[in-house]
mmCIF file of all heavy atoms in Angstrom:
data_model
loop_
_atom_site.group_PDB
_atom_site.id
_atom_site.type_symbol
_atom_site.label_atom_id
_atom_site.label_comp_id
_atom_site.label_asym_id
_atom_site.label_seq_id
_atom_site.Cartn_x
_atom_site.Cartn_y
_atom_site.Cartn_z
ATOM 1 N N ASP A 37 -42.890 4.336 -18.768
ATOM 2 C CA ASP A 37 -42.612 4.224 -20.161
ATOM 3 C C ASP A 37 -43.784 5.009 -20.920
ATOM 4 O O ASP A 37 -44.893 4.501 -20.992
ATOM 5 C CB ASP A 37 -42.516 2.825 -20.600
ATOM 6 C CG ASP A 37 -42.236 2.673 -22.082
ATOM 7 O OD1 ASP A 37 -41.781 3.613 -22.751
ATOM 8 O OD2 ASP A 37 -42.472 1.547 -22.614
ATOM 9 N N VAL A 38 -43.474 6.167 -21.387
ATOM 10 C CA VAL A 38 -44.511 7.057 -22.059
ATOM 11 C C VAL A 38 -44.594 6.655 -23.523
ATOM 12 O O VAL A 38 -43.622 6.732 -24.216
ATOM 13 C CB VAL A 38 -44.147 8.521 -21.851
ATOM 14 C CG1 VAL A 38 -45.130 9.370 -22.625
ATOM 15 C CG2 VAL A 38 -44.143 8.872 -20.378
ATOM 16 N N ASP A 39 -45.755 6.276 -23.927
ATOM 17 C CA ASP A 39 -45.995 5.865 -25.313
ATOM 18 C C ASP A 39 -46.966 6.724 -26.111
ATOM 19 O O ASP A 39 -47.228 6.419 -27.243
ATOM 20 C CB ASP A 39 -46.586 4.379 -25.350
ATOM 21 C CG ASP A 39 -45.555 3.391 -24.798
ATOM 22 O OD1 ASP A 39 -44.354 3.525 -25.114
ATOM 23 O OD2 ASP A 39 -45.940 2.477 -24.064
ATOM 24 N N SER A 40 -47.487 7.785 -25.454
ATOM 25 C CA SER A 40 -48.379 8.691 -26.166
ATOM 26 C C SER A 40 -48.184 10.084 -25.617
ATOM 27 O O SER A 40 -47.445 10.287 -24.667
ATOM 28 C CB SER A 40 -49.810 8.253 -26.032
ATOM 29 O OG SER A 40 -50.225 8.417 -24.684
ATOM 30 N N LYS A 41 -48.903 11.029 -26.162
ATOM 31 C CA LYS A 41 -48.771 12.435 -25.732
ATOM 32 C C LYS A 41 -49.608 12.722 -24.413
ATOM 33 O O LYS A 41 -49.557 13.827 -23.924
ATOM 34 C CB LYS A 41 -49.261 13.358 -26.814
ATOM 35 C CG LYS A 41 -48.399 13.297 -28.104
ATOM 36 C CD LYS A 41 -47.201 14.026 -28.013
ATOM 37 C CE LYS A 41 -46.470 14.067 -29.352
ATOM 38 N NZ LYS A 41 -45.106 14.395 -29.201
ATOM 39 N N SER A 42 -50.365 11.729 -23.938
ATOM 40 C CA SER A 42 -51.222 11.961 -22.830
ATOM 41 C C SER A 42 -50.422 12.289 -21.566
ATOM 42 O O SER A 42 -49.385 11.632 -21.289
ATOM 43 C CB SER A 42 -52.102 10.708 -22.576
ATOM 44 O OG SER A 42 -52.809 10.869 -21.358
ATOM 45 N N ALA A 43 -50.885 13.256 -20.802
ATOM 46 C CA ALA A 43 -50.210 13.604 -19.518
ATOM 47 C C ALA A 43 -50.728 12.718 -18.393
ATOM 48 O O ALA A 43 -50.128 12.727 -17.303
ATOM 49 C CB ALA A 43 -50.541 15.106 -19.198
ATOM 50 N N ASN A 44 -51.736 11.951 -18.646
ATOM 51 C CA ASN A 44 -52.329 11.021 -17.612
ATOM 52 C C ASN A 44 -51.394 9.808 -17.529
ATOM 53 O O ASN A 44 -51.298 8.954 -18.397
ATOM 54 C CB ASN A 44 -53.727 10.583 -18.082
ATOM 55 C CG ASN A 44 -54.426 9.682 -17.010
ATOM 56 O OD1 ASN A 44 -53.781 9.231 -16.080
ATOM 57 N ND2 ASN A 44 -55.665 9.396 -17.310
ATOM 58 N N LEU A 45 -50.757 9.675 -16.328
ATOM 59 C CA LEU A 45 -49.824 8.588 -16.136
ATOM 60 C C LEU A 45 -50.407 7.188 -16.162
ATOM 61 O O LEU A 45 -49.780 6.198 -16.396
ATOM 62 C CB LEU A 45 -49.023 8.787 -14.819
ATOM 63 C CG LEU A 45 -48.063 9.993 -14.842
ATOM 64 C CD1 LEU A 45 -47.406 10.139 -13.455
ATOM 65 C CD2 LEU A 45 -46.986 9.812 -15.882
ATOM 66 N N GLN A 46 -51.729 7.120 -15.872
ATOM 67 C CA GLN A 46 -52.442 5.826 -15.934
ATOM 68 C C GLN A 46 -52.515 5.235 -17.312
ATOM 69 O O GLN A 46 -52.708 4.053 -17.494
ATOM 70 C CB GLN A 46 -53.793 5.918 -15.346
ATOM 71 C CG GLN A 46 -53.830 6.208 -13.847
ATOM 72 C CD GLN A 46 -55.207 6.339 -13.290
ATOM 73 O OE1 GLN A 46 -56.187 6.520 -14.021
ATOM 74 N NE2 GLN A 46 -55.336 6.192 -11.953
ATOM 75 N N LYS A 47 -52.223 6.055 -18.340
ATOM 76 C CA LYS A 47 -52.226 5.538 -19.718
ATOM 77 C C LYS A 47 -50.842 5.119 -20.196
ATOM 78 O O LYS A 47 -50.653 4.722 -21.344
ATOM 79 C CB LYS A 47 -52.704 6.739 -20.681
ATOM 80 C CG LYS A 47 -54.172 7.050 -20.384
ATOM 81 C CD LYS A 47 -54.710 7.980 -21.361
ATOM 82 C CE LYS A 47 -56.195 8.244 -21.010
ATOM 83 N NZ LYS A 47 -56.974 8.648 -22.081
ATOM 84 N N HIS A 48 -49.866 5.073 -19.243
ATOM 85 C CA HIS A 48 -48.532 4.654 -19.618
ATOM 86 C C HIS A 48 -48.102 3.487 -18.720
ATOM 87 O O HIS A 48 -48.749 3.175 -17.713
ATOM 88 C CB HIS A 48 -47.614 5.863 -19.388
ATOM 89 C CG HIS A 48 -47.968 7.050 -20.162
ATOM 90 N ND1 HIS A 48 -47.959 7.126 -21.529
ATOM 91 C CD2 HIS A 48 -48.432 8.295 -19.749
ATOM 92 C CE1 HIS A 48 -48.412 8.313 -21.942
ATOM 93 N NE2 HIS A 48 -48.667 9.015 -20.848
ATOM 94 N N ASP A 49 -47.066 2.817 -19.138
ATOM 95 C CA ASP A 49 -46.564 1.614 -18.393
ATOM 96 C C ASP A 49 -45.704 2.055 -17.223
ATOM 97 O O ASP A 49 -44.663 2.737 -17.411
ATOM 98 C CB ASP A 49 -45.772 0.743 -19.325
ATOM 99 C CG ASP A 49 -46.515 0.199 -20.514
ATOM 100 O OD1 ASP A 49 -47.722 -0.115 -20.325
ATOM 101 O OD2 ASP A 49 -45.989 0.022 -21.613
ATOM 102 N N PHE A 50 -46.099 1.652 -16.056
ATOM 103 C CA PHE A 50 -45.299 1.884 -14.843
ATOM 104 C C PHE A 50 -44.155 0.938 -14.803
ATOM 105 O O PHE A 50 -44.333 -0.278 -14.897
ATOM 106 C CB PHE A 50 -46.225 1.720 -13.599
ATOM 107 C CG PHE A 50 -45.506 1.856 -12.307
ATOM 108 C CD1 PHE A 50 -45.073 3.157 -11.897
ATOM 109 C CD2 PHE A 50 -45.260 0.818 -11.465
ATOM 110 C CE1 PHE A 50 -44.405 3.351 -10.697
ATOM 111 C CE2 PHE A 50 -44.577 0.995 -10.261
ATOM 112 C CZ PHE A 50 -44.183 2.270 -9.896
ATOM 113 N N LEU A 51 -42.921 1.425 -14.681
ATOM 114 C CA LEU A 51 -41.746 0.620 -14.669
ATOM 115 C C LEU A 51 -41.193 0.337 -13.306
ATOM 116 O O LEU A 51 -40.505 -0.653 -13.049
ATOM 117 C CB LEU A 51 -40.624 1.256 -15.543
ATOM 118 C CG LEU A 51 -41.009 1.466 -17.031
ATOM 119 C CD1 LEU A 51 -39.883 2.147 -17.715
ATOM 120 C CD2 LEU A 51 -41.358 0.118 -17.663
ATOM 121 N N GLY A 52 -41.453 1.227 -12.323
ATOM 122 C CA GLY A 52 -40.981 1.065 -10.997
ATOM 123 C C GLY A 52 -40.811 2.378 -10.282
ATOM 124 O O GLY A 52 -41.053 3.416 -10.823
ATOM 125 N N GLN A 53 -40.366 2.291 -8.977
ATOM 126 C CA GLN A 53 -40.121 3.442 -8.196
ATOM 127 C C GLN A 53 -38.953 3.220 -7.237
ATOM 128 O O GLN A 53 -38.523 2.146 -6.968
ATOM 129 C CB GLN A 53 -41.344 3.871 -7.421
ATOM 130 C CG GLN A 53 -41.876 2.906 -6.460
ATOM 131 C CD GLN A 53 -43.219 3.250 -5.893
ATOM 132 O OE1 GLN A 53 -43.690 2.587 -4.997
ATOM 133 N NE2 GLN A 53 -43.938 4.277 -6.416
ATOM 134 N N ALA A 54 -38.387 4.360 -6.827
ATOM 135 C CA ALA A 54 -37.258 4.320 -5.910
ATOM 136 C C ALA A 54 -37.531 5.326 -4.801
ATOM 137 O O ALA A 54 -38.117 6.372 -5.038
ATOM 138 C CB ALA A 54 -35.978 4.634 -6.619
ATOM 139 N N TYR A 55 -37.133 5.002 -3.567
ATOM 140 C CA TYR A 55 -37.307 5.823 -2.378
ATOM 141 C C TYR A 55 -35.927 6.241 -1.840
ATOM 142 O O TYR A 55 -35.031 5.454 -1.864
ATOM 143 C CB TYR A 55 -38.090 5.123 -1.312
ATOM 144 C CG TYR A 55 -39.511 4.790 -1.682
ATOM 145 C CD1 TYR A 55 -39.798 3.601 -2.174
ATOM 146 C CD2 TYR A 55 -40.537 5.719 -1.462
ATOM 147 C CE1 TYR A 55 -41.118 3.215 -2.557
ATOM 148 C CE2 TYR A 55 -41.811 5.386 -1.762
ATOM 149 C CZ TYR A 55 -42.128 4.174 -2.272
ATOM 150 O OH TYR A 55 -43.436 3.810 -2.600
ATOM 151 N N CYS A 56 -35.823 7.455 -1.358
ATOM 152 C CA CYS A 56 -34.625 7.839 -0.637
ATOM 153 C C CYS A 56 -34.981 9.093 0.166
ATOM 154 O O CYS A 56 -36.178 9.552 0.154
ATOM 155 C CB CYS A 56 -33.518 8.171 -1.615
ATOM 156 S SG CYS A 56 -33.757 9.526 -2.692
ATOM 157 N N THR A 57 -34.057 9.698 0.854
ATOM 158 C CA THR A 57 -34.258 10.973 1.511
ATOM 159 C C THR A 57 -33.417 12.062 0.821
ATOM 160 O O THR A 57 -32.424 11.732 0.136
ATOM 161 C CB THR A 57 -33.911 10.927 3.013
ATOM 162 O OG1 THR A 57 -32.487 10.716 3.078
ATOM 163 C CG2 THR A 57 -34.653 9.859 3.750
ATOM 164 N N LEU A 58 -33.791 13.301 0.945
ATOM 165 C CA LEU A 58 -33.045 14.393 0.398
ATOM 166 C C LEU A 58 -31.603 14.428 1.044
ATOM 167 O O LEU A 58 -30.652 14.692 0.361
ATOM 168 C CB LEU A 58 -33.764 15.692 0.586
ATOM 169 C CG LEU A 58 -33.156 16.932 -0.037
ATOM 170 C CD1 LEU A 58 -32.902 16.732 -1.517
ATOM 171 C CD2 LEU A 58 -33.988 18.172 0.203
ATOM 172 N N GLY A 59 -31.545 14.076 2.315
ATOM 173 C CA GLY A 59 -30.254 13.929 2.963
ATOM 174 C C GLY A 59 -29.308 12.946 2.339
ATOM 175 O O GLY A 59 -28.127 13.126 2.267
ATOM 176 N N GLU A 60 -29.843 11.819 1.848
ATOM 177 C CA GLU A 60 -29.023 10.849 1.143
ATOM 178 C C GLU A 60 -28.512 11.370 -0.170
ATOM 179 O O GLU A 60 -27.322 11.148 -0.487
ATOM 180 C CB GLU A 60 -29.841 9.569 0.831
ATOM 181 C CG GLU A 60 -30.200 8.667 1.952
ATOM 182 C CD GLU A 60 -31.006 7.487 1.513
ATOM 183 O OE1 GLU A 60 -32.280 7.676 1.437
ATOM 184 O OE2 GLU A 60 -30.462 6.425 1.299
ATOM 185 N N VAL A 61 -29.293 12.183 -0.843
ATOM 186 C CA VAL A 61 -28.838 12.827 -2.097
ATOM 187 C C VAL A 61 -27.756 13.814 -1.795
ATOM 188 O O VAL A 61 -26.674 13.817 -2.360
ATOM 189 C CB VAL A 61 -29.977 13.433 -2.863
ATOM 190 C CG1 VAL A 61 -29.482 14.123 -4.123
ATOM 191 C CG2 VAL A 61 -30.995 12.374 -3.240
ATOM 192 N N VAL A 62 -28.050 14.695 -0.835
ATOM 193 C CA VAL A 62 -27.066 15.772 -0.497
ATOM 194 C C VAL A 62 -25.762 15.210 0.020
ATOM 195 O O VAL A 62 -24.688 15.647 -0.272
ATOM 196 C CB VAL A 62 -27.695 16.727 0.532
ATOM 197 C CG1 VAL A 62 -26.724 17.725 1.080
ATOM 198 C CG2 VAL A 62 -28.865 17.483 -0.070
ATOM 199 N N GLY A 63 -25.857 14.096 0.815
ATOM 200 C CA GLY A 63 -24.675 13.497 1.389
ATOM 201 C C GLY A 63 -23.883 12.521 0.428
ATOM 202 O O GLY A 63 -22.781 12.057 0.802
#
Side-chain angles (χ1 to χ4, degrees):
D37 180 17
V38 174
D39 294 320
S40 71
K41 299 280 186 199
S42 175
N44 182 352
L45 291 176
Q46 292 181 340
K47 295 188 178 203
H48 304 294
D49 298 325
F50 177 71
L51 299 178
Q53 61 191 189
Y55 295 93
C56 67
T57 65
L58 186 54
E60 286 178 278
V61 176
V62 170

